Amino acid sequence: MAADSSKQFWKRSAKLPGSIQPVYGAQHPPLDPRLTKNFIKDRSKVNALPLKSKKASSFHEFARNTSDAWDIGDDEDEDFSFQTLNSKVAKATAAQVLENHSKLRVKPERTPSALNEMPTNCKVIKSSSEAQLSRTSEDTCVRNPLHKQQSLPLRPIIPLVARISDQNASGAPPMTVREKTRLEKFRQLLSNHNTDLDELRKCSWPGVPREVRPVTWRLLSGYLPANMERRKLTLQRKREEYFGFIEQYYDSRNEEHHQDTYRQIHIDIPRTNPLIPLFQQPLVQEIFERILFIWAIRHPASGYVQGINDLVTPFFVVFLSEYVEEDVENFDVTNLSQDVLRSIEADSFWCMSKLLDGIQDNYTFAQPGIQKKVKALEELVSRIDEQVHNHFRKYEVEYLQFAFRWMNNLLMRELPLRCTIRLWDTYQSEPEGFSHFHLYVCAAFLIKWRKEILDEEDFQGLLMLLQNLPTIHWGNEEIGLLLAEAYRLKYMFADAPNHYRR
């Protein structure tokens, strides 16, 4: 975008609100306009609130006392810092919660690191990806708008995010004989004149070796044909088709009826995995901007919804790893040729589109797909662990308050990127993995924390736990156990037509 048009696009106006209409996003279920109005009024009276407020007994009272990454009006701010994400009320509430916890009991499971060091800086952190961000200085946390970034930001090195995405977080052991045998099996399948997709799915369920993951994902997503001779021509044709969309539609981002969509994309991109330097590079953000805008205008039934931006990142990392041997998360993409970047961009677009085709009702008006899945999760948990279900009911915790994000972002805000990539190996191997099997994974994920859940005896503690589960050090071993439990749940109920319900 030209500099002049960019300035004009972002120019503030006293008549035009700084934020577009609320989009159902990763953090919020659909908002009641009356509650939104009251919430904004409450924010304007921050200084008038006392430090020690009455303990919240419902979600709406809790929401008034805490702020969130998707708060109403946070799009106004030019810099993306935690001062804009957490108001004085949030700090006071966090301090009060910690004070209550210290008076009631000392729990070894909830160490300061598990609470993201909240006793030090009193910040309410909502996702596992933000767990290490609280340990950095405020200067490191500042996010400049996309069009203002000129150089790579200084970030803490986050190890094992992408390079060792198919190994445990505990280290990088040498490849075992079993792993070498599996890799050879994949190479043999992929080199056949017609790849047996059923056999490929079977081999991919326990995880795909890093060396063959890019081509395996293209095949499993339906982007590449199984016939070896047709693959090269198909890739060439689809990549040219994508960049034809760019030439035909991308300039329309400056038109009035697309301004809201483009602006929301522009705001959300810097928030995408903010701890990983790769995604803060201006060139990468421009690629994401094109992918999301083209997808949005080609799918008017849903358009762009907050959370879709996260779904591009696993594909981008996997297809980038095809050309990069070093640490992907710290790689400078300007070292790649223009042709390579175009190939990565087009492949990420088409594979993301294939994924979203199966779950598009998650993002249409009122997001009915997510509403149904959250309800199904509630009924399933009531069957498999009645004690946890009754514990939520006792403290008035609604599943929509924490599971909406799990469905909207496919657990990407709860797990490190390396775990998401491993999880998607299995999702692409399962029939309707992203739409159907994901429900069982969420149920297994919830029950995984049953002890911690039952230890919490108030609404605020439960919400803080469920929105900030300590998974930052998870690796393949933990994901493997989670998937095994999810498969067991699916198998137990496979032949029961109403297996969710009592």
Side-chain angles (χ1 to χ4, degrees):
M1 184 191 300
D4 292 338
S5 61
S6 176
K7 289 180 180 178
Q8 182 64 27
F9 180 80
W10 294 109
K11 185 177 180 181
R12 294 183 180 276
S13 170
K15 298 180 180 179
L16 182 67
S19 176
I20 65 170
Q21 292 296 321
V23 181
Y24 304 148
Q27 301 279 354
H28 278 310
L31 294 174
D32 187 329
R34 295 170 296 179
L35 294 175
T36 303
K37 185 182 298 182
N38 294 334
F39 183 68
I40 295 173
K41 289 179 180 178
D42 290 342
R43 284 173 58 90
S44 66
K45 299 179 181 179
V46 168
N47 295 329
L49 292 177
L51 178 62
K52 293 188 177 182
S53 59
K54 181 182 177 181
K55 181 182 291 187
S57 60
S58 68
F59 175 67
H60 296 303
E61 290 181 28
F62 181 66
R64 294 191 193 103
N65 292 329
T66 56
S67 61
D68 193 88
W70 306 122
D71 263 349
I72 304 301
D74 74 335
D75 296 342
E76 287 273 358
D77 299 323
E78 288 289 332
D79 54 351
F80 185 61
S81 65
F82 272 104
Q83 280 81 3
T84 60
L85 300 184
N86 296 289
S87 66
K88 295 180 180 178
V89 179
K91 294 183 179 180
T93 305
Q96 178 65 21
V97 172
L98 290 169
E99 183 180 341
N100 292 340
H101 275 258
S102 63
K103 288 180 179 178
L104 290 173
R105 61 193 178 280
V106 177
K107 293 182 288 187
E109 296 83 6
R110 302 296 301 279
T111 61
S113 61
L115 284 169
N116 297 305
E117 301 184 356
M118 284 180 56
T120 303
N121 53 28
C122 292
K123 292 174 182 175
V124 179
I125 300 175
K126 296 295 184 182
S127 65
S128 64
S129 66
E130 295 169 314
Q132 294 186 352
L133 190 57
S134 61
R135 302 176 191 142
T136 62
S137 67
E138 287 296 331
D139 293 336
T140 307
C141 293
V142 174
R143 303 285 183 266
N144 292 325
L146 177 60
H147 63 279
K148 289 188 177 182
Q149 293 190 13
Q150 301 297 331
S151 60
L152 297 183
L154 295 174
R155 308 285 178 195
I157 294 178
I158 310 299
L160 313 176
V161 173
R163 178 173 173 76
I164 314 176
S165 58
D166 54 354
Q167 295 172 344
N168 288 327
S170 56
M175 187 177 287
T176 64
V177 174
R178 181 176 179 274
E179 288 168 340
K180 290 179 180 178
T181 304
R182 289 192 71 241
L183 178 59
E184 187 58 35
K185 173 72 172 177
F186 271 93
R187 285 176 171 160
Q188 182 179 351
L189 275 171
L190 296 171
S191 63
N192 289 340
H193 181 71
N194 285 297
T195 300
D196 185 341
L197 294 181
D198 290 335
E199 185 65 23
L200 184 63
R201 290 188 185 94
K202 182 179 177 181
C203 291
S204 300
W205 207 100
V208 181
R210 180 181 186 272
E211 294 82 354
V212 294
R213 183 175 274 133
V215 64
T216 301
W217 275 27
R218 291 187 187 105
L219 286 164
L220 293 179
S221 66
Y223 174 46
L224 270 188
N227 185 280
M228 174 75 77
E229 295 177 355
R230 294 174 51 205
R231 290 178 193 170
K232 185 175 181 180
L233 288 176
T234 299
L235 278 178
Q236 182 180 350
R237 176 175 57 82
K238 296 297 284 184
R239 288 167 180 172
E240 290 176 354
E241 185 179 354
Y242 169 72
F243 284 100
F245 294 151
I246 296 291
E247 293 177 8
Q248 184 175 359
Y249 300 118
Y250 191 56
D251 286 341
S252 68
R253 69 190 186 280
N254 297 316
E255 298 175 4
E256 185 176 356
H257 59 286
H258 287 150
Q259 295 249 322
D260 283 354
T261 296
Y262 178 67
R263 182 175 185 274
Q264 191 62 53
I265 291 171
H266 199 286
I267 289 169
D268 288 346
I269 286 176
R271 297 170 172 171
T272 305
N273 286 293
L275 283 176
I276 302 178
L278 173 69
F279 300 119
Q280 300 307 307
Q281 299 178 37
L283 186 54
V284 173
Q285 293 186 347
E286 290 170 10
I287 289 172
F288 277 42
E289 185 179 283
R290 288 193 293 268
I291 290 173
L292 294 171
F293 183 78
I294 295 301
W295 187 87
I297 63 174
R298 293 188 73 243
H299 296 81
S302 61
Y304 174 75
V305 177
Q306 287 175 321
I308 294 178
N309 55 307
D310 289 325
L311 305 184
V312 186
T313 57
F315 292 116
F316 186 83
V317 167
V318 167
F319 296 141
L320 177 62
S321 68
E322 196 170 16
Y323 303 94
V324 177
E325 291 295 329
E326 56 199 271
D327 290 349
V328 175
E329 64 268 23
N330 296 298
F331 181 76
D332 184 354
V333 297
T334 59
N335 295 325
L336 296 175
S337 68
Q338 187 66 23
D339 288 341
V340 167
L341 286 173
R342 286 168 64 91
S343 298
I344 294 171
E345 179 177 346
D347 292 356
S348 299
F349 170 82
W350 286 115
C351 288
M352 185 198 76
S353 297
K354 292 285 187 180
L355 184 161
L356 287 169
D357 285 347
I359 57 173
Q360 192 169 352
D361 62 339
N362 284 10
Y363 304 104
T364 53
F365 179 74
Q367 299 181 262
I370 291 180
Q371 305 276 356
K372 292 177 183 176
K373 289 182 177 69
V374 171
K375 183 62 176 175
L377 176 65
E378 180 178 356
E379 293 172 342
L380 182 58
V381 171
S382 71
R383 295 291 303 275
I384 62 180
D385 198 323
E386 189 175 7
Q387 189 178 3
V388 168
H389 178 70
N390 289 337
H391 192 69
F392 286 151
R393 293 182 64 183
K394 178 180 178 181
Y395 295 104
E396 300 181 6
V397 174
E398 300 290 339
Y399 284 75
L400 199 64
Q401 292 161 2
F402 62 89
F404 184 91
R405 188 172 76 183
W406 297 9
M407 302 299 178
N408 192 68
N409 298 82
L410 300 178
L411 287 176
M412 289 191 64
R413 298 287 176 90
E414 276 57 50
L415 299 171
L417 182 56
R418 61 177 176 269
C419 295
T420 297
I421 292 173
R422 167 63 190 90
L423 189 65
W424 285 21
D425 287 342
T426 299
Y427 279 2
Q428 296 193 84
S429 308
E430 273 281 324
E432 300 180 334
F434 291 97
S435 60
H436 185 62
F437 188 62
H438 179 65
L439 170 67
Y440 297 97
V441 172
C442 288
F445 186 66
L446 181 62
I447 301 306
K448 159 76 178 174
W449 309 102
R450 75 180 311 274
K451 182 180 184 301
E452 292 81 354
I453 289 170
L454 295 176
D455 282 347
E456 293 291 348
E457 296 177 353
D458 61 78
F459 177 85
Q460 290 181 340
L462 282 166
L463 259 292
M464 289 178 68
L465 170 68
L466 292 166
Q467 292 181 355
N468 188 33
L469 293 165
T471 62
I472 191 66
H473 299 297
W474 274 29
N476 269 17
E477 183 178 353
E478 289 81 1
I479 294 298
L481 292 172
L482 180 70
L483 289 167
E485 177 63 16
Y487 185 81
R488 184 186 72 85
L489 293 175
K490 179 187 174 187
Y491 183 79
M492 285 175 61
F493 297 117
D495 297 324
N498 296 315
H499 62 275
Y500 300 140
R501 304 178 181 86
R502 288 185 173 280

Short mmCIF file of all heavy atoms in Angstrom, two decimals, residues 74-105:
data_model
loop_
_atom_site.label_atom_id
_atom_site.label_comp_id
_atom_site.label_asym_id
_atom_site.label_seq_id
_atom_site.Cartn_x
_atom_site.Cartn_y
_atom_site.Cartn_z
N ASP A 74 -10.05 -1.71 22.27
CA ASP A 74 -8.61 -1.84 22.29
C ASP A 74 -8.00 -1.65 20.92
O ASP A 74 -6.81 -1.44 20.78
CB ASP A 74 -8.18 -3.19 22.88
CG ASP A 74 -8.42 -4.34 21.92
OD1 ASP A 74 -9.30 -4.22 21.07
OD2 ASP A 74 -7.72 -5.34 22.05
N ASP A 75 -8.83 -1.71 19.89
CA ASP A 75 -8.33 -1.48 18.54
C ASP A 75 -7.94 -0.02 18.32
O ASP A 75 -7.32 0.32 17.32
CB ASP A 75 -9.38 -1.89 17.51
CG ASP A 75 -9.65 -3.37 17.59
OD1 ASP A 75 -8.83 -4.09 18.14
OD2 ASP A 75 -10.71 -3.77 17.10
N GLU A 76 -8.34 0.85 19.24
CA GLU A 76 -7.99 2.26 19.11
C GLU A 76 -6.50 2.48 19.23
O GLU A 76 -5.96 3.42 18.68
CB GLU A 76 -8.69 3.06 20.23
CG GLU A 76 -10.18 3.22 20.03
CD GLU A 76 -10.49 4.42 19.18
OE1 GLU A 76 -9.54 5.12 18.80
OE2 GLU A 76 -11.65 4.65 18.90
N ASP A 77 -5.84 1.63 20.01
CA ASP A 77 -4.48 1.94 20.42
C ASP A 77 -3.50 1.67 19.30
O ASP A 77 -3.58 0.65 18.62
CB ASP A 77 -4.09 1.11 21.65
CG ASP A 77 -5.01 1.43 22.81
OD1 ASP A 77 -5.38 2.60 22.95
OD2 ASP A 77 -5.35 0.50 23.57
N GLU A 78 -2.54 2.57 19.14
CA GLU A 78 -1.54 2.43 18.10
C GLU A 78 -0.47 1.42 18.49
O GLU A 78 0.09 0.75 17.65
CB GLU A 78 -0.88 3.79 17.81
CG GLU A 78 -1.77 4.76 17.08
CD GLU A 78 -1.99 4.34 15.64
OE1 GLU A 78 -1.12 3.68 15.08
OE2 GLU A 78 -3.05 4.67 15.10
N ASP A 79 -0.10 1.34 19.78
CA ASP A 79 0.92 0.39 20.19
C ASP A 79 0.27 -0.72 20.98
O ASP A 79 -0.61 -0.52 21.78
CB ASP A 79 2.03 1.07 21.01
CG ASP A 79 1.47 1.83 22.20
OD1 ASP A 79 0.24 1.97 22.25
OD2 ASP A 79 2.28 2.28 23.04
N PHE A 80 0.81 -1.95 20.75
CA PHE A 80 0.21 -3.16 21.31
C PHE A 80 0.99 -3.53 22.55
O PHE A 80 1.88 -4.35 22.54
CB PHE A 80 0.29 -4.27 20.26
CG PHE A 80 -0.39 -5.53 20.67
CD1 PHE A 80 -1.75 -5.54 20.94
CD2 PHE A 80 0.33 -6.71 20.80
CE1 PHE A 80 -2.36 -6.70 21.31
CE2 PHE A 80 -0.30 -7.86 21.17
CZ PHE A 80 -1.64 -7.86 21.42
N SER A 81 0.69 -2.89 23.66
CA SER A 81 1.39 -3.15 24.91
C SER A 81 0.41 -3.61 25.96
O SER A 81 -0.79 -3.47 25.82
CB SER A 81 2.12 -1.89 25.37
OG SER A 81 1.17 -0.89 25.68
N PHE A 82 0.95 -4.14 27.04
CA PHE A 82 0.07 -4.66 28.07
C PHE A 82 -0.61 -3.56 28.85
O PHE A 82 -1.55 -3.83 29.58
CB PHE A 82 0.86 -5.57 29.01
CG PHE A 82 0.90 -6.97 28.53
CD1 PHE A 82 2.05 -7.47 27.95
CD2 PHE A 82 -0.22 -7.78 28.61
CE1 PHE A 82 2.09 -8.75 27.48
CE2 PHE A 82 -0.18 -9.06 28.14
CZ PHE A 82 0.99 -9.55 27.57
N GLN A 83 -0.15 -2.29 28.71
CA GLN A 83 -0.91 -1.22 29.33
C GLN A 83 -2.28 -1.09 28.69
O GLN A 83 -3.25 -0.73 29.35
CB GLN A 83 -0.16 0.12 29.19
CG GLN A 83 0.95 0.30 30.22
CD GLN A 83 2.21 -0.44 29.81
OE1 GLN A 83 2.26 -1.02 28.73
NE2 GLN A 83 3.22 -0.42 30.65
N THR A 84 -2.36 -1.38 27.37
CA THR A 84 -3.66 -1.29 26.70
C THR A 84 -4.51 -2.50 26.96
O THR A 84 -5.72 -2.44 26.83
CB THR A 84 -3.45 -1.15 25.18
OG1 THR A 84 -2.77 -2.29 24.70
CG2 THR A 84 -2.68 0.11 24.85
N LEU A 85 -3.86 -3.65 27.29
CA LEU A 85 -4.62 -4.88 27.47
C LEU A 85 -5.15 -5.04 28.89
O LEU A 85 -6.09 -5.76 29.13
CB LEU A 85 -3.73 -6.09 27.14
CG LEU A 85 -3.18 -6.14 25.72
CD1 LEU A 85 -2.43 -7.43 25.52
CD2 LEU A 85 -4.31 -6.01 24.73
N ASN A 86 -4.50 -4.42 29.84
CA ASN A 86 -4.88 -4.62 31.23
C ASN A 86 -5.07 -3.27 31.91
O ASN A 86 -4.13 -2.50 32.08
CB ASN A 86 -3.80 -5.40 31.98
CG ASN A 86 -3.65 -6.79 31.43
OD1 ASN A 86 -4.54 -7.60 31.63
ND2 ASN A 86 -2.59 -7.05 30.69
N SER A 87 -6.26 -2.98 32.27
CA SER A 87 -6.56 -1.73 32.94
C SER A 87 -6.19 -1.81 34.41
O SER A 87 -5.82 -2.86 34.94
CB SER A 87 -8.06 -1.42 32.82
OG SER A 87 -8.77 -2.40 33.54
N LYS A 88 -6.31 -0.67 35.11
CA LYS A 88 -6.01 -0.67 36.54
C LYS A 88 -6.95 -1.60 37.29
O LYS A 88 -6.58 -2.18 38.30
CB LYS A 88 -6.13 0.75 37.08
CG LYS A 88 -5.09 1.71 36.49
CD LYS A 88 -5.24 3.11 37.04
CE LYS A 88 -4.21 4.05 36.45
NZ LYS A 88 -4.37 5.42 36.95
N VAL A 89 -8.16 -1.73 36.78
CA VAL A 89 -9.10 -2.64 37.44
C VAL A 89 -8.61 -4.06 37.36
O VAL A 89 -8.71 -4.83 38.32
CB VAL A 89 -10.49 -2.53 36.76
CG1 VAL A 89 -11.46 -3.48 37.41
CG2 VAL A 89 -11.01 -1.11 36.88
N ALA A 90 -8.03 -4.48 36.20
CA ALA A 90 -7.53 -5.83 36.05
C ALA A 90 -6.40 -6.09 37.04
O ALA A 90 -6.31 -7.15 37.64
CB ALA A 90 -7.05 -6.05 34.62
N LYS A 91 -5.53 -5.09 37.21
CA LYS A 91 -4.43 -5.27 38.14
C LYS A 91 -4.94 -5.41 39.57
O LYS A 91 -4.45 -6.23 40.35
CB LYS A 91 -3.47 -4.09 38.02
CG LYS A 91 -2.76 -4.03 36.67
CD LYS A 91 -1.77 -2.88 36.62
CE LYS A 91 -1.06 -2.84 35.28
NZ LYS A 91 -0.09 -1.73 35.21
N ALA A 92 -5.90 -4.56 39.92
CA ALA A 92 -6.46 -4.63 41.26
C ALA A 92 -7.13 -5.98 41.50
O ALA A 92 -7.00 -6.58 42.56
CB ALA A 92 -7.45 -3.49 41.48
N THR A 93 -7.87 -6.46 40.48
CA THR A 93 -8.55 -7.75 40.60
C THR A 93 -7.54 -8.88 40.75
O THR A 93 -7.70 -9.78 41.57
CB THR A 93 -9.43 -8.00 39.37
OG1 THR A 93 -10.32 -6.91 39.22
CG2 THR A 93 -10.21 -9.29 39.51
N ALA A 94 -6.46 -8.86 39.92
CA ALA A 94 -5.44 -9.91 40.01
C ALA A 94 -4.80 -9.91 41.38
O ALA A 94 -4.55 -10.96 41.98
CB ALA A 94 -4.39 -9.69 38.92
N ALA A 95 -4.51 -8.71 41.92
CA ALA A 95 -3.90 -8.63 43.25
C ALA A 95 -4.82 -9.20 44.31
O ALA A 95 -4.39 -9.90 45.23
CB ALA A 95 -3.57 -7.17 43.55
N GLN A 96 -6.13 -8.88 44.16
CA GLN A 96 -7.11 -9.39 45.13
C GLN A 96 -7.20 -10.90 45.07
O GLN A 96 -7.27 -11.58 46.10
CB GLN A 96 -8.48 -8.77 44.85
CG GLN A 96 -9.60 -9.24 45.76
CD GLN A 96 -9.38 -8.82 47.20
OE1 GLN A 96 -8.64 -7.88 47.45
NE2 GLN A 96 -9.98 -9.52 48.14
N VAL A 97 -7.21 -11.47 43.83
CA VAL A 97 -7.30 -12.93 43.68
C VAL A 97 -6.10 -13.60 44.32
O VAL A 97 -6.22 -14.60 45.03
CB VAL A 97 -7.40 -13.28 42.18
CG1 VAL A 97 -7.29 -14.80 42.00
CG2 VAL A 97 -8.73 -12.80 41.62
N LEU A 98 -4.92 -13.05 44.06
CA LEU A 98 -3.72 -13.65 44.63
C LEU A 98 -3.73 -13.57 46.16
O LEU A 98 -3.30 -14.48 46.86
CB LEU A 98 -2.48 -12.93 44.08
CG LEU A 98 -2.22 -13.21 42.59
CD1 LEU A 98 -1.15 -12.27 42.08
CD2 LEU A 98 -1.80 -14.66 42.42
N GLU A 99 -4.24 -12.45 46.69
CA GLU A 99 -4.33 -12.30 48.14
C GLU A 99 -5.26 -13.34 48.73
O GLU A 99 -4.98 -13.97 49.74
CB GLU A 99 -4.81 -10.88 48.47
CG GLU A 99 -4.88 -10.61 49.98
CD GLU A 99 -5.36 -9.19 50.25
OE1 GLU A 99 -5.31 -8.36 49.33
OE2 GLU A 99 -5.80 -8.95 51.38
N ASN A 100 -6.41 -13.56 48.05
CA ASN A 100 -7.37 -14.57 48.53
C ASN A 100 -6.76 -15.96 48.50
O ASN A 100 -6.96 -16.77 49.40
CB ASN A 100 -8.64 -14.52 47.68
CG ASN A 100 -9.42 -13.24 47.88
OD1 ASN A 100 -9.24 -12.56 48.88
ND2 ASN A 100 -10.28 -12.91 46.92
N HIS A 101 -6.00 -16.26 47.41
CA HIS A 101 -5.39 -17.57 47.29
C HIS A 101 -4.37 -17.81 48.40
O HIS A 101 -4.30 -18.89 48.97
CB HIS A 101 -4.72 -17.71 45.92
CG HIS A 101 -5.66 -18.15 44.85
ND1 HIS A 101 -5.72 -19.44 44.39
CD2 HIS A 101 -6.60 -17.46 44.16
CE1 HIS A 101 -6.64 -19.53 43.46
NE2 HIS A 101 -7.19 -18.34 43.30
N SER A 102 -3.59 -16.80 48.69
CA SER A 102 -2.56 -16.97 49.71
C SER A 102 -3.16 -17.15 51.10
O SER A 102 -2.60 -17.83 51.95
CB SER A 102 -1.61 -15.76 49.69
OG SER A 102 -2.32 -14.58 50.02
N LYS A 103 -4.32 -16.52 51.34
CA LYS A 103 -4.97 -16.66 52.64
C LYS A 103 -5.61 -18.03 52.79
O LYS A 103 -5.62 -18.62 53.87
CB LYS A 103 -6.02 -15.58 52.81
CG LYS A 103 -5.42 -14.19 53.03
CD LYS A 103 -6.53 -13.15 53.19
CE LYS A 103 -5.94 -11.76 53.43
NZ LYS A 103 -7.00 -10.74 53.54
N LEU A 104 -6.19 -18.56 51.71
CA LEU A 104 -6.94 -19.81 51.80
C LEU A 104 -6.02 -21.02 51.90
O LEU A 104 -6.18 -21.88 52.75
CB LEU A 104 -7.85 -19.95 50.58
CG LEU A 104 -9.04 -18.96 50.54
CD1 LEU A 104 -9.76 -19.10 49.20
CD2 LEU A 104 -10.00 -19.22 51.68
N ARG A 105 -5.02 -21.10 50.99
CA ARG A 105 -4.18 -22.29 50.96
C ARG A 105 -2.97 -22.03 50.08
O ARG A 105 -2.98 -21.14 49.26
CB ARG A 105 -4.95 -23.49 50.43
CG ARG A 105 -5.45 -23.28 49.00
CD ARG A 105 -6.46 -24.33 48.63
NE ARG A 105 -6.98 -24.12 47.31
CZ ARG A 105 -7.93 -23.23 47.01
NH1 ARG A 105 -8.46 -22.48 47.96
NH2 ARG A 105 -8.36 -23.10 45.76
#
